[in-house]
Amino acid sequence: MKLGSFRIAGRDTYGAISGDAVIDLGARLGPRYATLRKLLAEPDGLAIAREHVQAGRVDASLAEVAYLPVVPDAEKIFCIGVNYADHLEETRIARAAHPTVFLRYAASQVGHDQAMLMPRESAQLDYECEVAVVIGKAGRRIAVAEAWSHVAGYACYNDGSVRDWQMHTSQWGPGKNFLATGGFGPWMTTADELDPRREPLQLTTRLNGEVMQHSDTSLMIFGIGELIAYCSTMLPLAPGDVIVTGTPGGVGMARKPPRYLAVGDTVEVEVSGVGILRNRVQADQAFPV
């Protein structure tokens, strides 16, 4: 099952994807399940969603919707740095004993087919294809062996990074949190249909059609179970929380010469079993956007 968040006729909602159409679960299920995050928080939420999918009635064409980040109101967004060996090598960063964790804010994200914004303050906006893990069951100090039972699903993520601001200090937060620089979408595929333990997920980035990154999740330094265990040690994980699991080699800043994004570029991040997240780069003209 594929679940995502959308704006339909000026109203923010969420739903399930059925072919080229959407089942508007937000409208059908009412205030108790008003957002995807609230649906995930209900023990029977996904089962209720499946009932509507199996009924076969749709509410809107995908062509009619504007995509929002998969979970627009995530309580916590953990991001993992240098988690693929080839990216570690190209950045010349020493391998750490523990995952490198930084945080993103929800306002730094955009949905599929929405504009990633090039800041006025930098010309070093970079792409990073990643797999996002969406949490479906709460937990604290989750054991690695139990971690997979806490996953609701998987999504594409473009951890757009403003490199010069990222490198202002050893803390990466500024370069990872410019307004509308991270892509999250187009939807998540639920964990009952996609399991990286059985078959690694393939990740690909295309910039204006040219392949820039290609790898798979078997090459991660810290696996998904380890990341869930580590992040849940700091804070209890809640349904709708997101762990963005790191990017492989091939990022723009490591190329010779560097290949940063430019206004007018189109970036695609594809994850096998999920789909393709597409964003066009536009100039950040004003605030608010």
Side-chain angles (χ1 to χ4, degrees):
M1 184 166 55
K2 289 180 167 53
L3 299 171
S5 298
F6 313 95
R7 183 168 295 127
I8 302 176
R11 174 178 52 87
D12 289 359
T13 186
Y14 71 97
I17 289 78
S18 178
D20 60 356
V22 175
I23 300 164
D24 188 346
L25 296 172
R28 293 189 184 199
L29 299 180
R32 180 179 176 184
Y33 307 96
T35 65
L36 180 54
R37 182 161 71 102
K38 289 187 175 181
L39 181 81
L40 295 176
E42 292 287 340
D44 58 350
L46 292 181
I48 292 171
R50 285 191 194 94
E51 291 176 3
H52 286 271
V53 172
Q54 291 165 0
R57 294 186 297 111
V58 299
D59 299 298
S61 164
L62 282 175
E64 299 176 65
V65 310
Y67 292 83
L68 301 174
V70 177
V71 185
D73 58 344
E75 182 181 286
K76 296 180 285 295
I77 305 165
F78 296 96
C79 297
I80 311 302
V82 288
N83 197 32
Y84 284 74
D86 54 353
H87 185 48
L88 195 72
E89 181 179 354
E90 71 181 3
T91 57
R92 299 181 182 179
I93 294 174
R95 180 166 176 160
H98 306 286
T100 299
V101 180
F102 58 92
L103 304 177
R104 284 194 84 123
Y105 294 98
S108 72
Q109 302 177 135
V110 294
H112 172 66
D113 271 344
Q114 304 303 308
M116 292 175 65
L117 297 182
M118 174 73 72
R120 300 174 182 178
E121 295 79 8
S122 177
Q124 294 186 15
L125 178 61
D126 205 351
Y127 54 83
E128 291 191 6
C129 69
E130 311 203 17
V131 175
V133 176
V134 180
I135 298 299
K137 184 173 73 173
R140 178 88 197 277
R141 298 188 176 97
I142 300 166
V144 174
E146 302 298 324
W148 298 91
S149 68
H150 291 259
V151 177
Y154 305 92
C156 307
Y157 205 97
N158 186 347
D159 184 31
S161 306
V162 183
R163 294 300 191 189
D164 45 354
W165 280 69
Q166 179 184 346
M167 302 306 176
H168 280 179
T169 71
S170 61
Q171 303 301 308
W172 294 353
K176 299 288 189 171
N177 280 287
F178 268 75
L179 180 70
T181 49
F184 184 19
W187 43 66
M188 74 174 204
T189 299
T190 52
D192 60 321
E193 295 187 0
L194 195 63
D195 187 346
R197 291 171 295 179
R198 292 197 298 263
E199 184 175 352
L201 305 183
Q202 301 289 317
L203 298 83
T204 305
T205 299
R206 288 180 290 271
L207 175 57
N208 302 324
E210 180 184 354
V211 173
M212 310 299 286
Q213 296 179 281
H214 183 71
S215 191
D216 69 69
T217 53
S218 71
L219 302 177
M220 294 167 66
I221 295 170
F222 298 100
I224 288 171
E226 294 172 280
L227 298 177
I228 291 171
Y230 189 81
C231 292
S232 71
T233 303
M234 293 179 275
L235 290 167
L237 294 183
D241 285 352
V242 181
I243 300 177
V244 187
T245 58
T247 195
V251 299
M253 75 169 182
R255 292 177 174 271
K256 301 186 184 303
R259 182 86 175 270
Y260 294 116
L261 299 176
V263 171
D265 282 346
T266 297
V267 189
E268 292 181 330
V269 167
E270 182 171 3
V271 175
S272 59
V274 177
I276 298 173
L277 165 68
R278 182 183 305 106
N279 299 101
R280 188 170 175 82
V281 181
Q282 294 183 10
D284 184 358
Q285 299 291 352
F287 180 82
V289 174

